């Protein structure tokens, strides 16, 4: 006989805590209580889905084969749904250098080829995008009058108190921050903010390897196909699709995340959960875990 009450008590008694030494500092991390930064993707209701660049909505339909239908509501013995989605445009996703490079190049890693530690030091910061006219930062193509951006100065100020060793990953929450981001349709009428060239150069200077954004892209919605900031982040020469020996091939960019307001800015450890897709991008689930510093 299985007693659920006893099971619950036992679970409460056995918390999973991991001790991590980072440089000269030690942290306790309670992996029982993580915070997902992924937007839940509702395949049944396209109006509840975030969308970027006019992509078709994500869809689910029951499998049908040889008299079998994968839907219990239609008489099937079990649910077997076929999913159709665009990982870049239908929700929270992680990209590799393969996003901007020829797929047949050995250095253009796919999602399945990434080497990710189970937990990575991570800083969560919140920034309010500014008018492009209020910064001396640059971008290619040139800024338009309505552009809003994340600038180098903003990142410098927000990350100044963090040593480089804590910045293997960085999560950027843009303000204002409402749950509307979970269903936002980003298009010409609703153009999101993006990063300047100088801002991404600063992230590279600090050694950031894994960047998580609540924006649909690191670059401008319509940027003449240059993807300037993506190229800078991975150190791939602009205008070409071949990585070099200087390219930073194991880095990732995660876009269209949602960071709940209940999470305070500060230092965490992050687990970047992704499937083993042989593709340049895949749906992902970044998880943040509280870091308890030990004296």
């Amino acid at each position: 006989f299985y007693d659920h009450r006893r099971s619950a008590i036992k679970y409460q008694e056995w918390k999973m805590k991991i001790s991590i030494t980072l440089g000269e500092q030690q942290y306790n991390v309670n992996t029982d209580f993580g915070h997902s930064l992924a937007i839940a993707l509702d395949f049944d209701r396209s109006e509840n889905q975030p969308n970027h660049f006019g992509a078709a909505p994500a869809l689910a339909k029951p499998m049908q084969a040889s008299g079998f239908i994968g839907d219990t509501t239609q008489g099937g013995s079990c649910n077997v749904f076929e999913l159709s989605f665009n990982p870049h445009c239908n929700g929270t996703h992680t990209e590799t250098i393969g996003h901007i490079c020829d797929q047949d190049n050995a250095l253009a890693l796919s999602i399945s080829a990434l080497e990710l530690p189970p937990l990575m030091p991570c800083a969560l910061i919140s920034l309010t995008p500014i008018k492009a006219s209020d910064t001396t930062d640059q971008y290619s193509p040139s800024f338009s009058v309505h552009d809003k951006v994340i600038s180098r100065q903003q990142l410098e100020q927000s990350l100044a108190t963090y040593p480089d060793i804590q910045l293997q990953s960085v999560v950027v929450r843009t303000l204002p921050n409402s749950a509307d981001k979970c269903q936002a349709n980003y298009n010409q009428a609703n153009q999101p903010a993006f990063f300047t060239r100088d801002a991404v150069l600063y992230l590279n200077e600090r050694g950031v390897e894994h960047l998580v954004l609540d924006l649909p892209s690191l670059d401008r919605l319509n940027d003449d196909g240059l993807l300037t900031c993506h190229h800078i982040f991975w150190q791939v020469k602009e205008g070409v699709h071949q990585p070099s020996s200087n390219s930073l091939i194991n880095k990732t960019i995660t876009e269209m995340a949602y960071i709940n307001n209940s999470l305070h800015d500060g230092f965490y450890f992050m687990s970047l959960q992704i499937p083993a897709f042989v593709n340049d991008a895949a749906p992902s689930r970044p998880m943040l875990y509280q870091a308890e510093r030990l004296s």
Side-chain angles (χ1 to χ4, degrees):
F1 176 73
Y2 183 74
D3 189 333
H4 289 276
R5 291 171 299 176
R6 289 187 63 187
S7 176
I9 293 172
K10 182 176 289 188
Y11 179 79
Q12 291 297 322
E13 291 175 349
W14 293 96
K15 301 295 185 188
M16 179 64 76
K17 282 195 174 183
I18 296 176
S19 177
I20 297 178
T21 300
L22 184 65
E24 298 181 354
Q25 184 59 53
Q26 192 172 28
Y27 300 88
N28 271 345
V29 180
N30 187 344
T31 57
D32 282 341
F33 296 98
H35 305 273
S36 173
L37 307 186
I39 295 173
L41 184 55
D42 188 343
F43 285 88
D44 292 329
R45 299 178 62 185
S46 61
E47 69 275 11
N48 284 359
Q49 300 174 6
N51 189 280
H52 184 224
F53 217 69
L59 300 173
K61 65 176 183 179
M63 173 187 173
Q64 298 188 53
S66 302
F68 169 80
I69 184 165
D71 186 349
T72 57
T73 66
Q74 298 185 52
S77 59
C78 58
N79 294 311
V80 183
F81 285 87
E82 298 173 349
L83 306 180
S84 172
F85 62 92
N86 181 334
H88 287 283
C89 301
N90 291 141
T92 308
H93 62 277
T94 296
E95 301 170 346
T96 70
I97 190 173
H99 182 44
I100 57 169
C101 293
D102 295 340
Q103 296 288 327
D104 59 358
N105 190 297
L107 297 178
L109 296 189
S110 69
I111 287 289
S112 64
L114 288 172
E115 296 180 0
L116 299 175
L119 289 171
M120 298 179 282
C122 179
L124 165 60
I125 60 174
S126 297
L127 301 172
T128 302
I130 62 173
K131 293 180 181 178
S133 57
D134 291 339
T135 178
T136 58
D137 286 7
Q138 301 297 309
Y139 190 71
S140 299
S142 299
F143 291 125
S144 67
V145 65
H146 300 297
D147 284 342
K148 289 191 174 182
V149 299
I150 299 298
S151 71
R152 179 186 181 108
Q153 183 181 35
Q154 289 179 289
L155 291 175
E156 287 179 337
Q157 292 175 346
S158 296
L159 296 175
T161 59
Y162 294 93
D164 290 351
I165 199 172
Q166 291 186 333
L167 299 181
Q168 184 176 13
S169 55
V170 170
V171 176
V172 179
R173 170 172 46 199
T174 57
L175 303 175
N177 185 52
S178 75
D180 291 344
K181 291 177 182 176
C182 297
Q183 295 91 35
N185 187 354
Y186 298 101
N187 50 38
Q188 287 290 89
N190 182 30
Q191 295 203 45
F194 56 96
F195 278 55
T196 68
R197 294 174 59 98
D198 305 78
V200 180
L201 285 168
Y202 175 71
L203 293 175
N204 283 356
E205 291 168 15
R206 296 299 306 273
V208 176
E209 298 178 20
H210 304 282
L211 181 62
V212 179
L213 311 174
D214 63 3
L215 302 169
S217 179
L218 185 64
D219 277 293
R220 192 164 73 186
L221 177 66
N222 291 309
D223 66 345
D224 299 338
L226 298 179
L227 279 83
T228 299
C229 289
H230 284 74
H231 278 260
I232 293 172
F233 186 73
W234 281 303
Q235 285 188 188
V236 176
K237 185 177 179 180
E238 294 174 50
V240 303
H241 301 291
Q242 295 290 333
S244 70
S245 59
N246 295 322
S247 296
L248 305 172
I249 65 173
N250 202 55
K251 293 174 53 166
T252 67
I253 300 172
T254 300
E255 299 164 335
M256 294 180 86
Y258 177 67
I259 302 96
N260 195 287
N261 289 322
S262 62
L263 281 172
H264 301 296
D265 286 10
F267 180 65
Y268 296 83
F269 283 89
M270 183 178 78
S271 172
L272 186 54
Q273 302 177 2
I274 47 178
F277 283 13
V278 182
N279 193 49
D280 69 288
S284 60
R285 190 175 185 236
M287 296 287 295
L288 286 188
Y289 296 93
Q290 300 281 350
E292 178 189 359
R293 184 172 177 172
L294 302 179
S295 55

